[in-house]
Amino acid sequence: MSDSRHLRVLSAAEDLAVAVLSVVPLVNARRAPGVRGQLARSVTAIAANVAEAANLGTDPNFKRQLRLALASANETGSHLRVLERTGAIPRQHIWRCENKRVAVCKMLVNLIRAIEEREAHEEEERRNGKPRNSQPRNGQPR
């Protein structure tokens, strides 16, 4: 996974950022002051954290960055809900962005879960005295 361009979740996060950034100029700033900038920062942080995660060498670091991306995705969702509730942006724009955001969240959760399952399996093998598989997380021999 060292080449971040091959991660589907990165592509989905970038698509989400493009969708959200395309509607940010439509936000009525009077109805939700300051939210435009916060929304732009949180949505771009998702893809940035995924890209950074893809280039980290260990599962704990990889997982930590993915959790940061998930936190930014949740923050983005909060901003989108505030914009919807205040009427600062038409609902159809919110829903399109929210659908993409939910898909990214699901991908991140599944990826984090897969790492945790692999870590638990490796720990179980260590406890049972079985030899550890010498494959790094990207599947390339060490």
Side-chain angles (χ1 to χ4, degrees):
M1 288 192 214
S2 62
D3 186 352
S4 60
R5 292 171 295 190
H6 292 109
L7 285 173
R8 287 182 327 138
V9 68
L10 177 59
S11 179
E14 290 171 345
D15 289 346
L16 170 62
V18 168
V20 170
L21 292 174
S22 71
V23 301
V24 165
L26 305 176
V27 174
N28 181 334
R30 288 185 184 148
R31 290 194 175 190
V35 177
R36 288 191 308 191
Q38 291 176 333
L39 176 61
R41 282 187 293 281
S42 68
V43 77
T44 55
I46 302 166
N49 280 306
V50 172
E52 186 175 342
N55 294 307
L56 296 173
T58 64
D59 280 349
N61 289 332
F62 184 60
K63 188 171 55 174
R64 180 179 43 79
Q65 285 303 123
L66 292 177
R67 284 186 171 144
L68 289 172
L70 183 58
S72 292
N74 289 329
E75 179 183 352
T76 297
S78 176
H79 295 317
L80 290 171
R81 286 186 297 278
V82 166
L83 292 176
E84 181 179 22
R85 291 175 72 180
T86 60
I89 194 167
R91 275 202 170 118
Q92 69 269 20
H93 296 300
I94 298 291
W95 291 340
R96 184 171 56 93
C97 294
E98 181 61 9
N99 287 337
K100 289 179 180 291
R101 188 195 69 80
V102 168
V104 168
C105 286
K106 287 179 181 179
M107 294 171 83
L108 288 167
V109 166
N110 288 336
L111 192 50
I112 291 166
R113 186 176 295 136
I115 293 167
E116 289 172 342
E117 287 172 1
R118 183 174 58 234
E119 288 174 336
H121 179 73
E122 289 173 356
E123 179 62 28
E124 182 71 22
E125 285 183 346
R126 278 193 290 277
R127 280 191 210 139
N128 292 332
K130 293 181 181 177
R132 184 173 177 229
N133 183 355
S134 63
Q135 296 287 328
R137 75 175 152 73
N138 66 3
Q140 300 298 319
R142 291 183 187 193

